[in-house]
Amino acid sequence: MNAFEALGLNEHLVQAVADLGFEKPSEIQEKAIPVLLSGTTDFIGLAQTGTGKTAAFGLPLLQLIDPTQRHAQALVVCPTRELCLQITNDLEKFKKHSKNIFTEAVYGGASITMQIRNLKKGVQIVVATPGRLIDLIERKAIDLQKVKYVVLDEADEMLNMGFRDDIDFVLKNTINRESIWLFSATMPPEVRAISRNYMETPKEVTVGKKNSGNVNIDHQYFVVPQQHRYEALKRLIDFNPGMYGIIFTRTKIDAQEISERLAKSGYEIEALHGDLTQQQRDKVMGRFRTKSLQLLIATDVAARGIDVDGVTHVINFELPDDMEVYTHRSGRTGRAGKTGICLSICHSRETFKIKSLERMINAQFHKVDVPSGKDVCRKQFFHFMDTLMQADVSSGDYETYMPDLMEKFASVSKEEVLQRVASLEFNHFLKYYENAEDLNRSDIRGDRRQPSTGGDARDGSRKERTDFNRRDNGYTRLFINLGTKDGFYKASFLQFILDESNLKKEVLGKIDMRDMNSWIEIDKAEAGRMITAIDGKRYNNRTIRMNEADGGFKRPNDEGSGGGRERKRTYAPKERRSFR
Ligand code: AMP
């Protein structure tokens, strides 16, 4: 008997997972599916993304739904639009052979009219983000009276994002439900409270150790002087030619600047941050998912819920302040049993954090030197040669050209052809790294603004380099769509944001209040925490929007066209053009 069949799944679902190439159930699937199929047991699954938890609740949901009834029978609530779409997408694949089951994703930032219209057609499974779901309930566009199963996915993340009241509201409005299935990576007291208040003797299952770093991940760190962070990042990318990676920065400004700078140097990279519209965000994610982008650079806030398979590397441009954030970031690689690498660029003053990280995630970190220019060239060279050797020549009509080609190259040796091919691909690399300095040098004092000697030929101006370093201290400005029209005075506003974010007054600078909006100066290191706590929360029936304000952000100097640019490079072997 097939292992999925043995869990009690019907033939349509078994066929669908076989089509997806799932050979055996993951741990969470093995433990959850038989329990959830009963339909009446409340369930808590402590599992991170990447463990196969979507199928763990998705497959039983699809089996329990009555296809003859065209009303909402199951509700999946999740923190972000991104995750909402992913879950719906997965459900679509799982229900490929099951007839008459309809799902709908409802999330903010898209037309509510369209979503209402689709819901009216009679869907049985609704996947929703909390804000939009409440809107729909308030507009009476969704009837939860007949919902039997409520799934709370990434419950800790939803509470982190301030959706506690919304979750309460949803649970109070699904009074005829038969069970709640709660999935969470961690179990903070607020998640426990949901279980205490709404669930009856839930069956609890933990997959892997709580807070543990993914065991498939190799954690490496590189100690470099502050002013070499960017150059070190570039070397790490160049040293790993097959990299399909996500780079994390602490601020939106860094994400934007680094992305622009690398893109100008020919890398396939885009930034994901809070200033993008949903449409732009979807476009970036779409390109990354289909691998037309090699690299994505993101802030923690913007990267919430990103769930992409096959990410080979996560790079921390700086170590995060919050140690739990490290686990979240590194968990974007090494998923579904694959191995992954998490590279962290640190300053010597940050190395103490490594020790606590090792303790916290119970894994060893390896200190590795930033590769030298020569190492990078060698690696690129052999990677290219390997790709050359693996090129598929079986399908083209090369025979036609071969006689002419052989004649043309009759007097040229094999060595010479190879050299010429290599020089086409590598001259820019060799030149760039010719005098590259040792970035591991410890004799450079941390704050000295010393431009590096090698590498400037093609990579950005010195002014730009120091821009990254200068913003080492000080405040970031946050925008919030609340102001005096919302009934706030400065003191009550201050109290409100401090209470909501659980931060101390000392982290704040100037507060500038207007009728409808306000701007808050906040210690750069705490900005993310405040945004996480407040953005998306509701106030007086309005969703609060908080993000980093544009103030202070300058586009890096145009690096000029021609001359200094690297050639555009593709990276995935299958996409790599054959040599011209
Ligand atoms: P999730 O934790 O639901 O985000 O799943 C992570 C990834 O693992 C998804 O791309 C799934 O398609 C994949 N996956 C889920 N279950 C299995 C399985 N039993 N075997 C192989 N891959 C799986």
Side-chain angles (χ1 to χ4, degrees):
M1 192 192 265
N2 170 300
F4 284 97
E5 208 179 332
L7 298 178
L9 292 171
N10 67 36
E11 57 185 313
H12 306 302
L13 298 169
V14 171
Q15 184 57 49
V17 293
D19 291 351
L20 285 168
F22 297 1
E23 284 167 8
K24 57 181 179 47
S26 69
E27 192 184 349
I28 186 73
Q29 290 160 5
E30 214 155 46
K31 291 178 172 167
I33 292 173
V35 181
L36 299 183
L37 281 175
S38 80
T40 49
T41 314
D42 283 338
F43 180 86
I44 296 177
L46 282 164
Q48 302 192 338
T49 44
T51 51
K53 67 183 166 62
T54 316
F57 66 75
L59 295 169
L61 272 191
L62 290 165
Q63 182 149 329
L64 291 169
I65 292 307
D66 179 353
T68 63
Q69 302 295 314
R70 296 288 294 270
H71 56 72
Q73 299 173 44
L75 178 65
V76 180
V77 192
C78 63
T80 61
R81 168 194 166 111
E82 187 65 41
L83 188 58
C84 181
L85 287 168
Q86 251 151 38
I87 294 171
T88 320
N89 234 335
D90 283 355
L91 290 176
E92 288 296 323
K93 291 180 195 151
F94 302 151
K95 75 183 178 70
K96 188 172 147 199
H97 301 288
S98 311
K99 295 225 160 45
N100 296 324
I101 300 185
F102 302 90
T103 59
E104 180 68 16
V106 295
Y107 46 81
S111 156
I112 197 166
T113 329
M114 186 78 92
Q115 291 173 356
I116 293 174
R117 202 176 308 145
N118 290 344
L119 287 173
K120 285 219 170 91
K121 288 184 192 156
V123 302
Q124 295 109 340
I125 304 180
V126 179
V127 186
T129 54
R132 179 53 57 97
L133 179 61
I134 305 282
D135 270 1
L136 291 165
I137 297 173
E138 282 170 354
R139 288 171 189 233
K140 304 210 183 324
I142 186 167
D143 178 11
L144 301 182
Q145 292 306 306
K146 291 181 184 159
V147 166
K148 286 184 172 175
Y149 316 105
V150 178
V151 182
L152 302 175
D153 193 17
E154 301 209 350
D156 51 352
E157 200 69 22
M158 287 200 277
L159 293 165
N160 267 340
M161 291 166 72
F163 289 131
R164 192 179 49 212
D165 294 348
D166 295 1
I167 291 174
D168 275 334
F169 187 80
V170 170
L171 292 175
K172 282 180 184 145
N173 275 278
T174 45
I175 40 172
N176 294 316
R177 62 171 182 264
E178 290 181 2
S179 52
I180 300 176
W181 310 347
L182 181 152
F183 287 82
S184 193
T186 56
M187 202 60 180
E190 297 91 325
V191 179
R192 275 270 166 245
I194 293 183
S195 128
R196 224 180 16 251
N197 296 339
Y198 298 99
M199 297 165 88
E200 267 174 50
T201 51
K203 165 103 179 126
E204 189 168 322
V205 158
T206 305
V207 173
K209 257 197 267 165
K210 273 184 233 174
N211 273 346
S212 72
N214 192 318
V215 287
N216 301 327
I217 299 173
D218 180 12
H219 303 271
Q220 302 179 8
Y221 69 102
F222 303 82
V223 180
V224 298
Q226 175 68 14
Q227 71 269 35
H228 285 340
R229 261 187 217 276
Y230 175 77
E231 189 56 30
L233 171 68
K234 208 151 176 276
R235 285 229 194 140
L236 295 179
I237 299 169
D238 286 343
F239 189 67
N240 293 282
M243 176 186 287
Y244 175 44
I246 304 179
I247 302 161
F248 283 96
T249 59
R250 279 202 216 150
T251 67
K252 185 185 73 189
I253 303 168
D254 277 352
Q256 185 66 30
E257 285 189 2
I258 295 170
S259 135
E260 289 189 10
R261 211 172 150 182
L262 284 173
K264 276 183 183 141
S265 297
Y267 293 81
E268 307 281 356
I269 183 167
E270 283 207 41
L272 200 64
H273 55 67
D275 272 1
L276 302 188
T277 62
Q278 272 307 342
Q279 213 179 3
Q280 289 168 321
R281 194 183 147 91
D282 288 349
K283 203 165 149 207
V284 173
M285 280 313 296
R287 292 192 61 209
F288 186 60
R289 226 178 270 287
T290 53
K291 302 197 175 171
S292 351
L293 277 185
Q294 176 191 6
L295 301 164
L296 189 70
I297 183 160
T299 55
D300 294 300
V301 181
R304 272 189 217 131
I306 288 186
D307 182 19
V308 177
D309 275 349
V311 169
T312 58
H313 292 74
V314 163
I315 304 184
N316 293 310
F317 184 68
E318 289 155 317
L319 276 178
D321 288 324
D322 184 339
M323 295 298 153
E324 281 215 13
V325 173
Y326 182 91
T327 322
H328 268 107
R329 289 183 180 184
S330 55
R332 310 286 163 188
T333 181
R335 297 157 60 79
K338 297 198 187 108
T339 53
I341 299 174
C342 184
L343 309 175
S344 299
I345 303 173
C346 342
H347 187 273
S348 54
R349 282 196 298 267
E350 288 178 305
T351 47
F352 75 94
K353 289 186 186 170
I354 299 287
K355 289 278 159 259
S356 28
L357 272 173
E358 282 187 324
R359 271 197 306 276
M360 193 189 96
I361 66 173
N362 194 21
Q364 223 193 334
F365 279 59
H366 306 284
K367 181 172 182 299
V368 181
D369 279 349
V370 179
S372 67
K374 274 208 173 70
D375 293 340
V376 172
C377 290
R378 193 181 157 75
K379 193 74 179 277
Q380 285 280 346
F381 185 81
F382 283 101
H383 176 76
F384 175 67
M385 287 305 168
D386 284 347
T387 315
L388 190 72
M389 291 308 289
Q390 285 160 16
D392 178 12
V393 290
S394 61
S395 51
D397 181 20
Y398 301 109
E399 296 300 316
T400 320
Y401 310 110
M402 279 324 274
D404 286 349
L405 211 57
M406 293 306 284
E407 199 182 316
K408 200 173 171 69
F409 284 88
S411 60
V412 188
S413 69
K414 188 167 147 187
E415 285 75 18
E416 210 177 329
V417 175
L418 276 178
Q419 269 173 14
R420 283 174 195 271
V421 170
S423 90
L424 268 184
E425 188 73 9
F426 285 101
N427 270 359
H428 68 283
F429 254 108
L430 295 175
K431 213 162 167 189
Y432 181 64
Y433 281 115
E434 204 170 22
N435 296 314
E437 71 181 297
D438 178 3
L439 300 184
N440 306 293
R441 274 168 54 188
S442 55
D443 54 329
I444 304 170
R445 291 282 304 274
D447 286 333
R448 245 172 62 201
R449 307 256 156 76
Q450 175 186 312
S452 62
T453 47
D456 272 318
R458 59 177 65 246
D459 183 65
S461 64
R462 285 174 191 179
K463 178 184 176 301
E464 203 185 306
R465 182 185 310 282
T466 53
D467 275 351
F468 281 115
N469 306 328
R470 210 176 303 137
R471 277 194 321 275
D472 208 21
N473 291 315
Y475 293 125
T476 294
R477 267 170 94 232
L478 302 184
F479 162 89
I480 184 168
N481 62 342
L482 293 179
T484 48
K485 279 252 163 74
D486 295 287
F488 283 117
Y489 295 101
K490 221 169 220 173
S492 57
F493 181 67
L494 183 71
Q495 198 59 51
F496 173 78
I497 55 175
L498 292 176
D499 284 353
E500 291 300 321
S501 59
N502 226 350
L503 286 168
K504 296 216 160 52
K505 191 165 170 268
E506 287 69 41
V507 304
L508 297 180
K510 246 175 59 191
I511 293 184
D512 182 9
M513 292 190 75
R514 305 279 165 84
D515 288 353
M516 310 289 286
N517 306 313
S518 305
W519 284 265
I520 303 155
E521 277 186 354
I522 181 168
D523 187 328
K524 189 176 140 196
E526 303 294 352
R529 197 179 305 226
M530 178 164 279
I531 294 173
T532 308
I534 295 182
D535 183 39
K537 225 178 181 145
R538 293 177 71 79
Y539 184 79
N540 275 352
N541 267 340
R542 229 155 36 93
T543 304
I544 306 178
R545 196 158 59 77
M546 175 179 257
N547 51 34
E548 287 188 40
D550 267 327
F553 169 51
K554 288 189 207 76
R555 284 170 70 88
N557 279 356
D558 199 340
E559 282 172 274
S561 54
R565 289 194 184 189
E566 284 177 20
R567 288 186 24 219
K568 202 90 176 164
R569 299 177 311 128
T570 49
Y571 75 101
K574 67 177 160 63
E575 290 173 16
R576 195 180 260 282
R577 70 216 176 296
S578 54
F579 57 91
R580 293 148 295 187

